[in-house]
């Protein structure tokens, strides 16, 4: 244990716990997404829910949703960030996996479904 250090001033200085805590204050980690869009989704119907709470993106066509060549599975978190209607962008959870004869449904994640939950938030995308 090293004590009595000053806060860092140079790019190679060690950081004290107090300094790290002050920099991280106000950041809000959200659940990691397994995929993130690189272009708009195929045609979807957007339902806003109640002011964004419970908002859904439902595929018009049936089948498995693929994003950047990977299939979206039930309960996957997905970061939607390239919609033309930007209010549709956000963190979603797959609540109905698409299949033959079944359209996919993405529901806005409860951890990030109201505007007050966006300030200082960040999402990691853990591509496996």
């Amino acid at each position: 244990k090293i004590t009595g250090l000053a806060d860092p001033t140079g790019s190679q200085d060690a950081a004290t716990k107090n300094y790290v805590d002050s920099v991280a204050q106000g950041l809000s980690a959200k659940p990691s997404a397994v995929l993130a869009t690189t272009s708009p989704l195929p045609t979807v119907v957007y339902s806003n829910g109640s002011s964004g709470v419970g908002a859904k993106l439902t595929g018009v066509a049936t089948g498995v949703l693929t994003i950047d060549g990977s299939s979206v599975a039930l309960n996957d978190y997905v970061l939607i960030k390239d919609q033309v209607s930007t209010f549709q962008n956000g963190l979603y959870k797959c609540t109905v996996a698409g299949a033959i004869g079944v359209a996919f449904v993405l529901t806005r994640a409860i951890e990030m479904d109201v505007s007050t939950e966006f300030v200082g938030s960040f999402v990691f995308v853990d591509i496996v």
Side-chain angles (χ1 to χ4, degrees), residues 43-114:
T43 305
V44 294
V45 173
Y46 179 77
S47 168
N48 192 40
S50 177
S51 300
V53 176
K56 295 183 185 328
L57 291 168
T58 303
V60 171
T62 64
V64 175
L65 172 63
T66 58
I67 295 176
D68 203 20
S70 297
S71 298
V72 177
L74 186 64
N75 295 319
D76 280 353
Y77 282 95
V78 181
L79 182 61
I80 306 299
K81 59 179 185 56
D82 297 290
Q83 293 298 95
V84 174
S85 299
T86 57
F87 62 87
Q88 295 177 0
N89 290 332
L91 184 63
Y92 288 82
K93 190 171 188 177
C94 179
T95 50
V96 176
I100 296 172
V102 178
F104 69 85
V105 178
L106 302 176
T107 302
R108 198 175 290 274
I110 61 171
E111 298 87 354
M112 199 173 181
D113 59 0
V114 294

